[in-house]
Amino acid sequence: MMKGIDADYYGYRDDDDGVLEELERAAEEGSLQQAREDWEARKAARLAAGEPADEEESDGEGDGEEARRAERFQEALPDREAIERAILEKRKREMLAMLGGGDAGGAPKHKEEGSINLVPKSW
């Protein structure tokens, strides 16, 4: 049963006859031409709007804009120490609230029964 299953069965040698190469070449030329036309149209629109033309542009992929966006998000991310401080502050607030000292007045809050729960519910 497995005798007839080889590379041809899975389609690994489909490009040996040259048919796919011709189809891919034609499709690639068409997509490159379309990309060039799109890029030229965007460049003409920018020039008409009065924006300066960038000489370092790639062929329409927006690499410069992506780099600026990534840099902006990188600056907005907190460092490890800031994250650790925020987690520690949150834990402190939770513990103070659990122990009853979480209100602004500093007076301890008690449950209706009059007891304070010193152990977190997750324990």
Side-chain angles (χ1 to χ4, degrees):
M1 185 170 163
M2 298 297 289
K3 288 182 181 180
I5 298 177
D6 57 357
D8 288 329
Y9 176 80
Y10 290 107
Y12 289 135
R13 293 191 292 215
D14 283 347
D15 56 349
D16 287 347
D17 58 1
V19 174
L20 285 178
E21 292 175 2
E22 290 296 323
L23 294 173
E24 288 175 353
R25 188 176 299 117
E28 182 179 8
E29 288 174 1
S31 65
L32 286 175
Q33 182 63 27
Q34 182 65 35
R36 274 190 216 105
E37 291 172 0
D38 292 345
W39 178 76
E40 288 173 357
R42 283 195 307 271
K43 185 175 181 181
R46 273 197 319 272
L47 290 175
E51 295 179 20
D54 291 335
E55 296 298 325
E56 298 177 357
E57 285 185 356
S58 65
D59 46 2
E61 295 180 9
D63 292 333
E65 183 179 330
E66 267 185 45
R68 285 190 298 269
R69 186 178 301 143
E71 183 179 315
R72 187 183 76 216
F73 285 125
Q74 185 66 26
E75 291 173 0
L77 293 176
D79 59 348
R80 185 176 183 90
E81 291 82 21
I83 293 171
E84 289 175 357
R85 283 193 305 269
I87 291 172
L88 183 62
E89 288 298 320
K90 180 182 175 189
R91 288 181 182 165
K92 284 181 182 179
R93 285 192 307 270
E94 289 173 353
M95 288 301 291
L96 281 174
M98 236 184 328
L99 293 173
D103 64 342
K109 293 189 278 186
H110 296 282
K111 291 186 175 183
E112 293 178 19
E113 303 89 35
S115 65
I116 299 174
N117 186 8
L118 298 177
V119 180
K121 294 178 183 177
S122 63
W123 290 4

